[in-house]
Amino acid sequence: MRNVVIIGSGPAGLTAAIYTARANLSPLLIEGWQSGGQLTTTTEVENYPGFARGIMGPELMKDMRAQAGRFGTEFLTGDVTAVNLAQLPFTLTVDGEHTVQTRTVIIATGASAIPIGLKNEARLTGHGVSTCATCDGFFFKEKELLVVGGGDSALEEANFLTKFATKVSVIHRRDKLRASKIMQDRAMRNEKIAFIWNSIVEDILGTDVVTGARIKNVVTGTSSDISCSGVFVAIGHRPNTALFTGQVDMDEKGYIRTHHGTATNIPGVFAAGDVQDSTYRQAVTAAGSGCMAAIDVERFLETTAHNL
Ligand code: NAP
């Protein structure tokens, strides 16, 4: 029987681990098959306080994991495939095989990239379609690329891809970007970046690998084909909450509802990071709420320990 199990290994989960470990709660952190969350697929993180010259996302996560380990966090590599939060102790099933019982749970499963939803997008994923410039940009030396989206992610991907590509076109469904001013300015200054406004991707073209995209101007209604060797989709994220459907209260978009800090509708179950935050979605806010969840768990255990 554990005091606390943390599900997820992004900034929220690892910060919760650092705090619960230092509170002598001997946390178990179930980290998935790929540790580190979304920051492992980003490049330079320039807005995480404490790193005046910036830090690479994967390096930041490696250090956070080492910090959590230093205070005695136990890590389990694998995916939680089922949860029973209806009775105490809570039961978590890992990879469909073994179960873990715990007094409290911190859900920090984060969010995942949203696909456009095209048939050929799924078929050509890994063959020119990607959601991760850091992972795949290297394969597109001297090629022309398309980035879909108008937020910070899209511009960050586009900027990074210009290290390899000859030209990167950002296609956005409106004529105004959602991205922050600093990211916009940087992209506008980059000579390799072009913008295709008021347009969406209707289809991705190519038999074995991406050769182009069919795009539609939503103002004029006209469609045209453009050639490119890769399509990077950066149109936002959705929370990874399918596992908790029907047990934990969520909003209409699937984000876990929290109140009084990180409490969910189930006493003893807490949620931190992007899984419960559709507004801020920053590494530093995720880490902050991971800290809050750890303190909430500590207080919960202090007040309810005699009942268990
Ligand atoms: P986002 O801010 O939600 O932007 C998503 C973009 O994709 C929007 O421009 C949206 O268009 C477009 N879009 C959504 N659905 C679409 C669809 N079906 N077809 C075509 N376009 C679609 O998501 P994000 O860029 O991933 O950023 C998420 C959060 O992380 C934000 O808070 C952002 O500031 C943060 N972030 C920060 C950094 C940084 O500071 N370095 C880097 C990356 C992300 P509309 O604009 O028309 O809605």
Side-chain angles (χ1 to χ4, degrees):
M1 164 82 89
R2 316 290 311 205
N3 286 317
V4 56
V5 174
I6 299 158
I7 312 173
S9 52
L14 288 172
T15 305
I18 293 166
Y19 274 76
T20 49
R22 293 189 77 253
N24 280 338
L25 293 175
S26 311
L28 172 70
L29 186 146
I30 304 175
E31 61 182 347
W33 279 103
Q34 206 183 337
S35 183
Q38 292 176 71
L39 277 192
T40 56
T41 64
T42 60
T43 48
E44 202 163 4
V45 180
E46 292 177 326
N47 50 12
Y48 198 90
F51 299 93
R53 282 164 296 280
I55 182 168
M56 296 304 280
E59 194 186 340
L60 178 62
M61 297 322 296
K62 204 171 102 230
D63 284 353
M64 274 194 206
R65 191 181 185 283
Q67 193 176 355
R70 182 178 147 211
F71 299 112
T73 301
E74 210 180 302
F75 293 95
L76 180 58
T77 304
D79 288 327
V80 175
T81 47
V83 296
N84 182 353
L85 306 175
Q87 63 190 52
L88 280 167
F90 303 125
T91 306
L92 312 179
T93 306
V94 181
D95 289 330
E97 279 171 10
H98 54 279
T99 56
V100 178
Q101 296 207 310
T102 179
R103 294 182 169 93
T104 65
V105 177
I106 296 174
I107 300 171
T109 46
S112 300
I114 298 174
I116 306 170
L118 302 169
K119 214 157 113 198
N120 283 335
E121 177 190 17
R123 185 176 63 80
L124 291 167
T125 290
H127 302 280
V129 176
S130 171
T131 54
C132 177
T134 336
C135 318
D136 301 325
F138 184 77
F139 303 115
F140 295 93
K141 277 188 182 156
E142 307 297 318
K143 306 280 190 209
E144 293 199 6
L145 301 173
L146 190 64
V147 172
V148 189
D152 280 332
S153 296
L155 297 196
E156 190 174 74
E157 300 269 283
N159 256 314
F160 181 73
L161 289 169
T162 58
K163 288 187 185 185
F164 311 101
T166 48
K167 181 182 176 191
V168 178
S169 302
V170 175
I171 179 167
H172 182 38
R173 61 183 177 183
R174 293 187 293 142
D175 62 357
K176 261 201 190 73
L177 293 167
R178 181 177 293 280
S180 56
K181 183 80 172 56
I182 187 171
M183 299 293 279
Q184 291 196 30
D185 290 347
R186 195 174 296 168
M188 300 287 179
R189 276 200 311 270
N190 191 324
E191 284 176 358
K192 284 187 176 179
I193 295 179
F195 287 91
I196 305 173
W197 301 108
N198 295 315
S199 299
I200 57 167
V201 175
E202 273 190 318
D203 199 3
I204 296 174
L205 312 173
T207 310
D208 300 320
V209 294
V210 170
T211 54
R214 180 155 303 145
I215 62 172
K216 181 182 173 181
N217 184 307
V218 291
V219 176
T220 62
T222 50
S223 296
S224 56
D225 290 354
I226 58 165
S227 65
C228 60
S229 306
V231 177
F232 285 78
V233 180
I235 60 171
H237 295 83
R238 69 166 65 107
N240 298 321
T241 50
L243 191 58
F244 310 101
T245 305
Q247 301 192 58
V248 181
D249 270 0
M250 297 174 196
D251 69 12
E252 58 292 342
K253 284 188 177 159
Y255 286 89
I256 292 177
R257 286 188 207 275
T258 50
H259 55 90
H260 296 101
T262 62
T264 68
N265 58 309
I266 305 172
V269 178
F270 301 85
D274 284 12
V275 79
Q276 52 83 58
D277 169 22
S278 62
T279 310
Y280 303 105
R281 298 179 296 178
Q282 304 298 302
V284 66
T285 50
S289 75
C291 160
M292 289 161 63
I295 293 171
D296 289 342
V297 159
E298 207 183 331
R299 292 187 180 153
F300 177 84
L301 287 172
E302 270 168 17
T303 54
T304 58
H306 59 284
N307 296 325
L308 298 173

